[in-house]
Amino acid sequence: MEETSTLQIHPSTIIETDDIGENTTIGPFSHIEKNVHIGRNCFIGEGCHIQEGVHISDGTHLENGVYIWRGVYLSEDVFVGPQAVFINYRNPRAYSHPPRREEILQTKVGRGASIGANSTILCGHIIGAYAVVGAGSTLTHSVRAHEIVYGNPARHQGWACECGEALYDIRECVECGRSYEMIDTGLRLHE
Ligand SMILES: [Zn+2]
């Protein structure tokens, strides 16, 4: 690994942006296009492709083979499992590729959310903070904060604590004791 201050970028990786925060690691054979923001303390694995304009916030972890296209915004501490793919427009045709910018639909992933391995995230949706999209899911709609969804198409399966445990009772996590209340956008932590 070539080390530049606290940034570790494998020499086989193609980096076209200079907007990468300190203490971030990028593995072999990845391609980061221009005008991509990558925050501090991020991990980007082997063979990832990050397209122009994508925003990746501090503390985010992308496993190997993750593809993220223009229009995607990842908040802090998002986890994306291996081979997960984000889609950015709805009606792909070979003869109209690449799409016009107005055809690209934005996807936002909230703080602390987790996207399981091999998931496909369709565009134009919001994944709430600390939500969990289970491995192998096809996500076709927005997900509320702390909501667990999985399947094809992904459906509601329960609620997740900030610590990662499933919540059997939103009033008390069996693992960490955190307590939540239900609001329109999902669960809200009791401070
Ligand atoms: Zn907990």
Side-chain angles (χ1 to χ4, degrees):
M1 299 287 271
E2 172 188 322
E3 190 164 334
T4 312
S5 67
T6 55
L7 188 63
Q8 292 192 73
I9 297 174
H10 192 276
S12 64
T13 282
I14 300 169
I15 304 285
E16 300 181 78
T17 180
D18 55 7
D19 186 11
I20 302 178
E22 61 189 23
N23 199 30
T24 280
T25 298
I26 304 177
F29 307 112
S30 287
H31 182 180
I32 315 297
E33 293 190 6
K34 62 186 179 182
N35 298 324
V36 167
H37 167 80
I38 299 177
R40 295 177 295 166
N41 304 316
C42 292
F43 175 87
I44 295 178
E46 185 170 331
C48 295
H49 189 117
I50 314 298
Q51 198 183 29
E52 182 179 359
V54 168
H55 184 104
I56 295 176
S57 303
D58 296 352
T60 284
H61 185 113
L62 308 186
E63 273 294 339
N64 297 346
V66 170
Y67 293 172
I68 304 184
W69 308 113
R70 180 184 293 120
V72 175
Y73 183 104
L74 304 184
S75 303
E76 294 82 1
D77 300 322
V78 167
F79 175 89
V80 184
Q83 311 291 345
V85 174
F86 289 76
I87 305 294
N88 71 346
Y89 71 117
R90 282 197 177 137
N91 304 309
R93 295 289 194 202
Y95 44 78
S96 62
H97 193 85
R100 292 190 299 273
R101 285 186 183 253
E102 63 269 24
E103 293 176 314
I104 290 174
L105 300 179
Q106 311 291 313
T107 296
K108 183 178 179 189
V109 182
R111 172 190 289 266
S114 296
I115 312 290
N118 270 309
S119 292
T120 301
I121 310 299
L122 273 63
C123 51
H125 306 300
I126 293 172
I127 298 174
Y130 304 104
V132 175
V133 178
S137 297
T138 300
L139 189 73
T140 58
H141 58 83
S142 289
V143 183
R144 291 171 283 174
H146 294 270
E147 188 173 15
I148 300 172
V149 299
Y150 54 83
N152 181 3
R155 298 188 196 283
H156 175 84
Q157 307 285 349
W159 300 99
C161 183
E162 194 172 314
C163 75
E165 274 296 312
L167 290 164
Y168 303 100
D169 181 345
I170 66 168
R171 293 169 298 182
E172 186 176 13
C173 173
V174 294
E175 182 66 25
C176 71
R178 284 185 178 90
S179 174
Y180 297 88
E181 63 179 321
M182 188 73 68
I183 58 174
D184 287 347
T185 53
L187 297 188
R188 180 165 62 194
L189 182 66
H190 281 148
E191 299 293 349

